[in-house]
Amino acid sequence: MSSALNEVETRPPVMLGALFLAFLKTSMYGFGGPIVWVRRIVVDERRWLSDRDFADLLSFCQFMPGPNVVSITVCIGAKFRGPVGALAALAGFIVIPWAVGFGLGALLLSYAQTPLLQGILRGVAAAAAGLLIATGIRLLLPHRHRPTALAFAAFAFVGLAIVKLPLLIVVLGLVPLSIALARPDGTPAR
Amino acid sequence: MNPPGASVSLIGHIALLAIISFGGVPGVLPDLRDFVVTANGWLTDRDFANCFAIVQAIPGPNMILMMSFIGWKLGGLPVAIASALVTFGPPCALSYTAFHFWDRFRETAWQQRVRRGLAPVTIGLVIAGGYVMARAGDAGWASLAVTAAAIGLMLMTRINPLWLVAAGGALGGLGML
């Protein structure tokens, strides 16, 4: 649990270069959900974290604003090497992959009007939207026995997608109420 | 080309959305689409859908890249870079600060409440993001069928999501959507 944070101090220090390279790899492999690759590299390959620690970190980062994988990157870097580690991991995750992805994507966007590419993009967007919805449904499954949780998920969905309220209104309106009504009993929802 | 004021207003809006994007960036897609397509007309619905599709088809930090492409369409490379920076910069600083605090109070009752209260809202936002993107760019019934099939296969099999994206692209490339 929280003592797991101290265990790492008995191991050899994680090098800044290793953080940079590990997250560079994660980002470049990151087709179809970078989280999968972060787990594979950080837990299975490098053995920097146990599965349990990783799950704890993930549950924290899923609630933080911004790109989830970026939060994980920053937290893992910070955990091993402080602020410099966070920067090294972040630089690995973003700088080169962003430049490569931006160049590639800008090229594709300039040809987006050709019928073939137009068709392909249409199909990719349709499938990717499905993956997003499925991810949401999967995350919702552990909460299926809590009517309040289902209700708040439904309110958030309807507010944003159907009524088309601004995100700020939805978040400010629902989050305080949802936290006030949540009970801390039972197993923590993951 | 749009006036510089438009770029500033886009960057400001992305920064605001990023800092309240609890549960991840996909939850901001409905709001962002309303802002850039419906309210301001900076991008067409198809452009917006194309940006979304392209970042799914290339590696790299996909939601940061999506914001960059929207910025690029509006004001070229400088706006693309600024859009990327505001997408991850402020949230990163927040995660960094909050992590130590969060870790120290793990397993406390109030933290479990926050966790349990935030989770359903963030999940609803992610599903809303998927729903809006599924209907973006005047998607016909065939596109919706692809979305439905992707949902079903993702939930019922252990298939690598990459295959689903590739299959969607192939069907679209063959002109079936």
Side-chain angles (χ1 to χ4, degrees):
Chain A
M1 314 229 202
S2 56
S3 64
L5 268 185
N6 303 323
E7 281 169 21
V8 296
E9 275 153 27
T10 59
R11 290 193 230 157
V14 173
M15 293 293 157
L16 291 177
L19 282 170
F20 180 89
L21 286 177
F23 285 99
L24 171 63
K25 192 168 163 187
T26 309
S27 191
M28 295 306 286
Y29 277 18
F31 290 108
I35 295 272
V36 180
W37 292 101
V38 177
R39 208 206 70 87
R40 199 183 174 108
I41 291 168
V42 169
V43 179
D44 295 342
E45 258 179 39
R46 304 267 183 171
R47 298 179 187 281
W48 285 338
L49 290 176
S50 68
D51 250 323
R52 167 76 209 247
D53 281 346
F54 185 77
D56 275 346
L57 198 58
L58 185 62
S59 75
F60 166 75
C61 292
Q62 265 165 351
F63 298 138
M64 291 311 287
N68 293 153
V69 208
V70 179
S71 311
I72 291 193
T73 304
V74 167
C75 291
I76 293 177
K79 187 170 167 136
F80 292 109
R81 296 298 299 267
V84 189
L87 285 177
L90 189 62
F93 191 80
I94 289 180
V95 180
I96 297 172
W98 183 88
V100 172
F102 189 77
L104 206 62
L107 190 70
L108 285 173
L109 271 178
S110 344
Y111 292 99
Q113 301 311 322
T114 60
L116 176 66
L117 197 56
Q118 193 54 231
I120 293 177
L121 291 178
R122 205 180 272 271
V124 168
L131 300 187
L132 214 48
I133 296 172
T135 305
I137 294 175
R138 199 169 264 177
L139 289 171
L140 195 58
L141 284 179
H143 301 277
R144 64 184 179 282
H145 301 302
R146 295 170 52 213
T148 9
L150 295 179
F152 274 100
F155 291 152
F157 173 81
V158 171
L160 202 65
I162 313 287
V163 189
K164 299 186 192 303
L165 292 171
L167 181 64
L168 187 64
I169 307 284
V170 175
V171 167
L172 290 184
L174 291 180
V175 166
L177 208 60
S178 178
I179 291 176
L181 291 176
R183 275 187 305 267
D185 57 357
T187 49
R190 287 275 155 75
Chain B
M1 187 56 76
N2 292 284
S7 302
V8 173
S9 134
L10 173 74
I11 294 165
H13 195 75
I14 292 178
L16 168 73
L17 291 182
I19 205 77
I20 57 168
S21 62
F22 295 98
V25 186
V28 315
L29 293 175
D31 183 305
L32 186 66
R33 179 171 161 276
D34 271 353
F35 187 75
V36 300
V37 178
T38 317
N40 288 299
W42 291 327
L43 264 71
T44 64
D45 198 20
R46 180 106 302 273
D47 281 337
F48 192 79
N50 282 345
C51 290
F52 175 72
I54 280 175
V55 301
Q56 310 298 328
I58 56 180
N62 57 2
M63 285 297 138
I64 299 174
L65 282 166
M66 172 151 187
M67 302 302 160
S68 303
F69 290 133
I70 292 170
W72 185 58
K73 286 262 175 192
L74 197 64
L77 192 59
V79 183
I81 293 175
S83 303
L85 290 176
V86 296
T87 304
F88 71 83
C92 269
L94 194 65
S95 299
Y96 182 78
T97 322
F99 179 61
H100 296 283
F101 185 69
W102 181 264
D103 203 54
R104 190 178 326 150
F105 295 101
R106 191 180 310 173
E107 316 293 340
T108 58
W110 68 263
Q111 195 183 74
Q112 282 182 31
R113 266 177 93 146
V114 172
R115 217 195 276 255
R116 288 170 68 111
L118 261 176
V121 178
T122 62
I123 294 165
L125 299 180
V126 169
I127 298 177
Y131 173 85
V132 166
M133 291 321 298
R135 297 166 51 98
D138 44 76
W141 66 266
S143 297
L144 295 177
V146 168
T147 304
I151 297 173
L153 287 169
M154 255 309 259
L155 290 177
M156 285 176 301
T157 68
R158 297 177 59 87
I159 191 170
N160 184 333
L162 199 53
W163 291 115
L164 298 175
V165 171
L171 287 174
L174 293 171
M176 297 172 70
L177 302 180

